[in-house]
Amino acid sequence: MADNYSAIDINGHFPVMLNEVIDLLQPKSEAVYIDATFGGGGYSKAILSAANCNVWGIDRDPDAIRRGQKIVDDYPTLRLLQGNFAQLETLAHENNIQSLDGIVLDLGVSSFQLDEAERGFSFRFDGPLDMRMSKSGKTAADLVNQLSETELADILWYYGEERFSRRIARAIIQDRLEKPFETTQQLANLIKRVVPSKKNEINPATRSFQALRIAVNDELTQIRQVLTSALSLLKPDGKLIVVSFHSLEDRIVKEIMNQATGNIAGPSRHHPQSLHQKSELIKFEALTHKPLRPSKHEALLNPRSRSAKLRAIKRLAGQKTRSIS
């Protein structure tokens, strides 16, 4: 596979594993695709450049939709929808999208969001402790300032796999008695103070910030919802391609794709509903038996891609698409 990654740069945004995504998707003329995590528009633009096709870009972030209008000017068959990808099925129904030739999901946080201090996603910049992808609902500051010690520790442990979760939660409760948490640096400094770290290790705030972001945006629940909807919307030979960035995401992707391909045990054949359920299962085949990883060249150019894993699945020909009406 030719590596032309360095040639792709969408307004400073590097779409992760773009070459692999396009090689697997193989865009076709007149086909219909959904880029369910539009972000900087890198995947959408590459798909539209590869074939005379139609692409729907979905993003919950109004800033992403606004930026994407420049790409629409160049590619009139790109249509943008602001919305949560967890409502993929509803969005498809509302826009008369009956079935799809392919769906692409990049589950990482957009580089634009990470690099904007005012969005509060990164401890690299001092900004409001926000982390909301849709710019609505409770912020990370709301969680840090309102949740109990146990609730905070659970979030940090389950979503960030932070082994010092209880120590961090206890310190947060103590510090917020004197002053509520308002900024990213305020929280990052607390974590640095209470969590031991060694030289050349990841920043001690990394796992906690990941955990709060997942909690604020209810990411894991929504990933399950979008994957289930995506499988139901694919037409025969339609493909679902997912790029994940941490173990919690990848675990869900792997589980759902394994269920769809029959790679894990189904209901007992002795169960009275088992034969009926088996006959209604949608059949898929795995396009990646093990997750693909970024090339060394890409990881060097874009360090954010290093943790990426790509999994892909295809609906087998002859399997009916479930109606969404």
Side-chain angles (χ1 to χ4, degrees):
M1 179 180 63
D3 190 349
N4 60 352
Y5 180 84
S6 60
I8 305 297
D9 185 345
I10 311 299
N11 295 325
H13 171 71
F14 291 98
V16 174
M17 299 186 74
L18 178 62
N19 299 323
E20 292 85 350
V21 168
I22 299 302
D23 282 351
L24 284 165
L25 192 64
Q26 296 179 345
K28 294 178 174 59
S29 179
E30 306 302 323
V32 181
Y33 301 98
I34 280 185
D35 178 357
T37 47
F38 181 74
Y43 293 127
S44 291
K45 187 170 182 179
I47 294 169
L48 291 160
S49 297
N52 182 22
C53 58
N54 299 278
V55 174
W56 294 80
I58 298 173
D59 206 293
R60 66 166 78 176
D61 187 344
D63 289 347
I65 300 301
R66 175 182 51 77
R67 286 191 302 265
Q69 295 303 323
K70 295 180 181 179
I71 302 178
V72 175
D73 292 341
D74 295 328
Y75 297 92
T77 57
L78 170 64
R79 281 156 286 189
L80 301 180
L81 299 174
Q82 183 180 340
N84 190 326
F85 66 26
Q87 277 74 56
L88 177 63
E89 201 163 354
T90 299
L91 291 169
H93 177 70
E94 291 175 348
N95 290 277
N96 198 32
I97 304 170
Q98 299 301 320
S99 59
L100 294 158
D101 296 278
I103 300 169
V104 177
L105 287 160
D106 175 342
L107 302 179
V109 181
S110 166
S111 296
F112 293 102
Q113 293 171 337
L114 287 171
D115 292 339
E116 293 176 1
E118 63 270 21
R119 301 301 299 271
F121 283 96
S122 176
F123 46 78
R124 293 186 297 117
F125 312 105
D126 194 16
L129 192 57
D130 194 318
M131 301 192 190
R132 297 171 300 170
M133 292 182 180
S134 62
K135 294 190 173 183
S136 63
K138 286 192 173 184
T139 66
D142 292 330
L143 300 188
V144 169
N145 290 317
Q146 297 171 11
L147 295 183
S148 68
E149 180 179 331
T150 299
E151 290 171 324
L152 283 171
D154 285 348
I155 285 175
L156 301 182
W157 172 254
Y158 290 114
Y159 295 154
E161 299 176 314
E162 172 55 72
R163 61 193 182 99
F164 296 103
S165 59
R166 295 190 182 280
R167 183 184 298 184
I168 296 170
R170 191 178 307 118
I172 288 173
I173 298 299
Q174 293 172 347
D175 279 28
R176 78 186 191 190
L177 291 174
E178 298 183 10
K179 181 181 179 181
F181 285 84
E182 297 177 348
T183 70
T184 54
Q185 285 301 305
Q186 190 180 355
L187 179 60
N189 289 339
L190 175 143
I191 296 170
K192 184 177 181 180
R193 188 183 81 224
V194 301
V195 173
S197 62
K198 298 179 181 178
K199 189 176 181 180
N200 298 325
E201 286 187 336
I202 64 170
N203 189 296
T206 300
R207 294 185 180 89
S208 294
F209 270 65
Q210 170 190 296
L212 288 169
R213 190 203 78 223
I214 290 173
V216 165
N217 297 290
D218 194 22
E219 292 179 29
L220 300 187
T221 298
Q222 293 177 2
I223 288 171
R224 286 189 178 276
Q225 292 173 343
V226 69
L227 291 176
T228 301
S229 295
L231 293 179
S232 73
L233 289 169
L234 290 175
K235 63 172 59 173
D237 292 324
K239 299 170 183 176
L240 170 63
I241 301 172
V242 185
V243 180
S244 61
F245 291 85
H246 59 73
S247 60
L248 297 175
E249 294 172 344
D250 183 60
R251 200 174 301 154
I252 295 171
V253 177
K254 180 180 178 181
E255 173 193 330
I256 290 178
M257 288 190 174
N258 279 344
Q259 288 175 345
T261 58
N263 284 339
I264 61 173
S268 168
R269 62 186 177 88
H270 300 294
H271 192 282
Q273 292 185 335
S274 63
L275 293 178
H276 175 67
Q277 290 174 344
K278 187 173 182 179
S279 68
E280 291 190 346
L281 288 177
I282 300 172
K283 300 294 185 180
F284 292 83
E285 68 172 338
L287 298 178
T288 53
H289 296 287
K290 291 183 179 180
L292 302 183
R293 303 301 300 269
S295 67
K296 291 181 180 179
H297 178 55
E298 176 172 357
L300 182 64
L301 280 174
N302 181 16
R304 289 174 180 167
S305 72
R306 290 174 182 168
S307 62
K309 292 183 178 180
L310 185 154
R311 296 183 188 270
I313 196 171
K314 180 176 78 170
R315 181 189 285 268
L316 295 174
Q319 301 297 321
K320 294 181 179 179
T321 305
R322 182 165 65 84
S323 172
I324 62 172
S325 59

